[in-house]
Amino acid sequence: MRRLVVLLAACCAPLAQAAGDASLMQRGEEQVMGTCFLCHGVTGNSSGKLYPELAGQNEAYLLEQLRHFKAGARDSSDMRKVVADMSDDDMRAAAHFFSRQPPGRDNPASGDRRALNESTPRL
Ligand code: HEC
């Protein structure tokens, strides 16, 4: 019996993990489509240079920043409103989703931003 338990744990833990990731991804996508995309883009390749790129960023870092915004330890008038009604699980899901998006070097929006940066006079 004990051997069976060990065997099941060994074989099925990765499956449970994958299923967990899938539901976290889905929940994250709902968060992003609900609000985040307006400023950070659908895949975290942000819509303008005022908004940080989130695609492919470290998941733990993203989650920590969201918790800081929520706690008021990091302030941003935009993000304060965004996190106001997010639960910790919502934040976890959004961080998970953005961390798994490919960073957008080939994204046209990034190209525009590079062009913009190049044409902006240096101070
Ligand atoms: C109205 C625009 C807006 C929306 C909507 C928005 N953000 Fe932001 N976000 C910002 C701005 C502006 C910053 C930069 C804040 C600062 O430090 O001044 C930021 C920063 C962040 C950061 C920190 C990034 C870093 O590099 O440190 C994370 C994480 C983040 N946002 C996640 C989210 C998530 C998740 C959502 C949706 C649930 C979201 N944001 C929706 C404007 C927005």
Side-chain angles (χ1 to χ4, degrees):
M1 186 60 197
R2 172 177 290 208
R3 198 175 285 167
L4 184 64
V5 171
V6 170
L7 193 70
L8 277 176
C11 95
C12 303
L15 286 179
Q17 173 85 33
D21 281 1
S23 68
L24 206 58
M25 274 303 266
Q26 193 179 345
R27 184 170 179 162
E29 193 172 352
E30 284 160 16
Q31 294 293 316
V32 172
M33 295 312 185
T35 40
C36 325
F37 80 96
L38 290 169
C39 303
H40 295 289
V42 171
T43 59
N45 293 295
S46 303
S47 59
K49 59 180 180 168
L50 294 177
Y51 307 114
E53 300 280 337
L54 305 180
Q57 180 59 274
N58 179 283
E59 182 174 354
Y61 170 80
L62 291 177
L63 179 58
E64 193 169 322
Q65 297 316 304
L66 290 170
R67 286 176 172 156
H68 284 325
F69 287 126
K70 180 102 178 168
R74 179 173 172 181
D75 197 22
S76 150
S77 53
D78 285 326
M79 285 305 297
R80 193 187 319 138
K81 288 178 225 136
V82 169
V83 294
D85 43 59
M86 285 177 86
S87 68
D88 202 64
D89 283 345
D90 292 337
M91 296 195 284
R92 201 186 297 271
H96 183 79
F97 178 86
F98 278 132
S99 72
R100 278 157 180 77
Q101 303 305 313
R105 285 189 215 299
D106 299 327
N107 183 306
S110 310
D112 289 345
R113 204 158 39 248
R114 267 200 305 276
L116 192 68
N117 285 340
E118 279 155 20
S119 63
T120 306
R122 302 273 168 245
L123 296 176

